[in-house]
Amino acid sequence: MKRLLSLILALITAASLAACGEKQEDKKDDAPADAQTAQADEYVLSKDVDKATVVDGVMTDISGSDAILKKSNPTWLDDCVLYEVNIRQFTEEGTFKAFEAHLDRLADMGVNTLWLMPIHPISETEKKGTLGSYYAVSDYKGVNPEFGTIEDFRHLVKTAHEKGFKVMLDWVANHTGWDNAWVKDHDDWFVHNKKGEITSPYDWTDTAELDYNNYQMRAEMISCMQYWIEEEGVDGFRCDHVEGVPAPFWNAAVYKLKSINKDILMLAESSATPNLTSYAFDLCYNDSLYSQAVMLKGGIGTSGVKAGLERGGNYSDGSYPMNYMDNHDKNSYEGSVVFRFKDAYPALLAMTYIAPGVPLIYTSDEQGYDHEIEFFEKDAVKWDKEPKYAEMITALSKLKKDHKALDSTNTDITFPESDNENAFAFTRKSGNDSITYIGNLLYEDVKGATVKPDFDKATCIMHFDGKTLSMDEVEMTAEDFAKKDYKPYEFYILIR
């Protein structure tokens, strides 16, 4: 049995106040909490959910016995290989249709999950650059005409699903663009300064910051997210700037979304925190691993990398790291993967697959594209016929799919003893399945280092000597890693 949570009287009262010209922005800071929570939408709840826990985009209690309130992951998470798609820059055309031509190539690399950067229309008002930011959304239920029509998007989703992909949308909940209809129609849905003017977050002057003290806005935001799951069949969301939005909102949104499709994936653009991982999010950015990887090129030791590989206490049960060496922010504002990592990139790329969690590839990383892709202008990727790292990515993706030790939900990791911290090793296990990574993460040679792996004999399935990749299967023993020399960024992946 299900019941309706409806505070109709509150809506009537709110409507009456609006009709009388009440200035919500002048009063909202002083409004009592019960008056604010009285702005309610209808939620359909199971009989096991206390009606006080969900009010119009606020979920205060996630301990109920409703099955949807139990933390769960999508059934397809374990072998998830995530690829961030920059539709604008992926092709010269910059359209959904043109991107479709790359689906087979991505599938051949073992990519199975597509994160599309925001596909919505971009606000013209206060637009940055010639084309504007994808993150200045003017219509949460529309598609950017630059990319094509809603029919084109539907065809892309249908085709991607037929080829075995899941499709995730990038969701921007902290702010809208200035010509979003909400700015005109719902002034009280936004944050205001002391002069009564709608404000922008940070220096994102092309956007207007939403006020999460307004529960009508929260409900409409959830309704817009629900549209893409229910009507357009997307498989989840990468949520932008999640820390700029209260965690109870995300809990309420995910409750609603999983009521429609329990198999969705939720990725937070944030390091893990208990508030985010206790219910709403399956994945959080592994910012710790990324930061340590950046410092490696300065000769920093691997102790920080070890910490970045360990899941840590901020991850609640059922939440996991998203391991990345690149994304649109890093590429456009900190430089290409070549600029940031140089010759270390292959060793670090492999690590993102072997580490606990889910690996991410950003548009063009499979070819080691040495270019900062423009954010507000057209700057199409110049694709090589044979992307430099496609072979490695293909092998790593297959490894992840074929080995339970690399399941995204497997948190097991151990660190074999080494007498030189730059001869770095870690092992993942699941039952009898075991995979070990051993390598030199330093820009200099490592001489005479001894690693003590937890095997007597194993099969090396991938060896990179710092310049050349070999995937010939070679039997190796523990003795092979005693007093061994390593070239800069040389690594081995071994199975047993």
Side-chain angles (χ1 to χ4, degrees), residues 25-26 190-199:
E25 65 271 24
D26 293 337
F190 294 85
V191 174
H192 293 71
N193 60 23
K194 292 181 179 180
K195 297 179 181 179
E197 303 164 328
I198 295 176
T199 62

Side-chain angles (χ1 to χ4, degrees), residues 4 43 74 113 134 176 179 184 188 204 224 318 348 355 361 364 373 383 416 426 444 490:
L4 294 176
Y43 278 80
T113 307
Y134 319 84
T176 75
D179 55 17
K184 178 181 179 182
D188 58 313
W204 305 339
C224 292
L348 297 170
I361 309 296
S364 79
I373 300 173
W383 289 103
F426 65 97
E444 298 177 336
E490 181 175 9

Side-chain angles (χ1 to χ4, degrees), residues 6 46 56 71 105 112 120 138 151 156 201 219 302 308-309 316 361 378 397 428 432 435 464:
S6 176
S46 86
D56 218 19
K71 183 65 180 280
R105 178 179 69 79
N112 53 28
H120 308 297
S138 70
E151 289 76 19
L156 170 59
T302 59
L309 292 171
S316 305
I361 309 296
K378 181 63 180 175
S397 298
R428 304 284 309 289
N432 294 325
I435 297 183
F464 183 73

Side-chain angles (χ1 to χ4, degrees), residues 19 21 43 63 149 193 202 205 279 333 382 390 394 413 430 441 459 478:
Y43 278 80
S63 62
T149 65
N193 60 23
Y202 311 106
T205 55
Y279 177 68
Y333 298 110
K382 306 299 188 292
T394 302
I413 186 169
S430 177
L441 299 181
T459 302

Side-chain angles (χ1 to χ4, degrees), residues 442-475:
L442 193 63
Y443 58 84
E444 298 177 336
D445 290 345
V446 168
K447 301 288 188 180
T450 296
V451 173
K452 296 180 179 179
D454 58 352
F455 57 76
D456 294 324
K457 182 185 296 184
T459 302
C460 176
I461 59 169
M462 182 179 293
H463 174 226
F464 183 73
D465 67 5
K467 298 295 182 182
T468 304
L469 176 69
S470 172
M471 289 187 292
D472 295 334
E473 294 191 2
V474 178
E475 293 299 315

